[in-house]
Amino acid sequence: MSIIPNFSGKRWLKISLRTVHLIGFAGVFASILTRTEQDVYWAITIVTGLGLLSLEALSNFVWFVQIRAFVMYIKLTLLACVFFFDEYAWHCLVAIIIISGMISHAPSSVRYYSFVHGRKITSLKDTKG
């Protein structure tokens, strides 16, 4: 089940959002390292991140129980820690980079593994039997 069906250009939209997201995240990371306020980079990162999250989650509801979503939950928690534990902001952002790199290059058997079903699930049809 999905709210956002496949459409022409969806892949390029995701690639474009991800590219701009990385630029925003680089700005956020630089602002943390230099201890300067760069709100524009936070805005870019949050807007593109929400766009990517929405595209993934609303295109296939199974996303919510896959490892790739679980990793997103961890990354969001680490991002929240940046605000609550300023002295560990750098560590949290480095952890986000490491986790992101690992999951984005992991095989589909890892990314699409459902922690609810105990196996690779790519659609609601896979959840039966």
Side-chain angles (χ1 to χ4, degrees):
M1 184 172 168
S2 69
I3 293 174
I4 301 174
N6 283 330
F7 57 88
S8 178
K10 182 177 179 182
R11 180 168 177 79
W12 282 106
L13 175 60
K14 287 169 53 174
I15 290 169
S16 299
L17 281 171
R18 190 172 294 115
T19 301
V20 176
H21 186 70
L22 289 171
I23 292 167
F25 190 84
V28 167
F29 194 70
S31 72
I32 295 293
L33 289 178
T34 60
R35 298 198 182 278
T36 58
E37 287 297 320
Q38 299 291 330
D39 293 340
V40 68
Y41 292 113
W42 278 106
I44 290 169
T45 304
I46 291 168
V47 168
T48 56
L50 287 173
L52 285 165
L53 182 77
S54 298
L55 271 174
E56 290 294 336
L58 300 178
S59 292
N60 188 351
F61 291 156
V62 171
W63 178 87
F64 289 98
V65 297
Q66 292 173 327
I67 292 294
R68 58 195 184 133
F70 183 71
V71 167
M72 183 62 62
Y73 307 147
I74 292 170
K75 288 169 35 178
L76 289 170
T77 302
L78 286 167
L79 193 58
C81 288
V82 168
F83 292 102
F84 295 112
F85 306 104
D86 186 44
E87 65 275 16
Y88 296 108
W90 182 86
H91 301 87
C92 293
L93 294 178
V94 168
I96 289 171
I97 292 169
I98 292 169
I99 292 167
S100 297
M102 291 179 69
I103 197 64
S104 68
H105 296 293
S108 65
S109 60
V110 173
R111 289 190 324 270
Y112 294 98
Y113 182 86
S114 167
F115 51 87
V116 171
H117 301 92
R119 62 188 186 338
K120 180 181 173 180
I121 301 288
T122 57
S123 71
L124 287 175
K125 295 175 189 169
D126 293 345
T127 62
K128 300 176 178 108

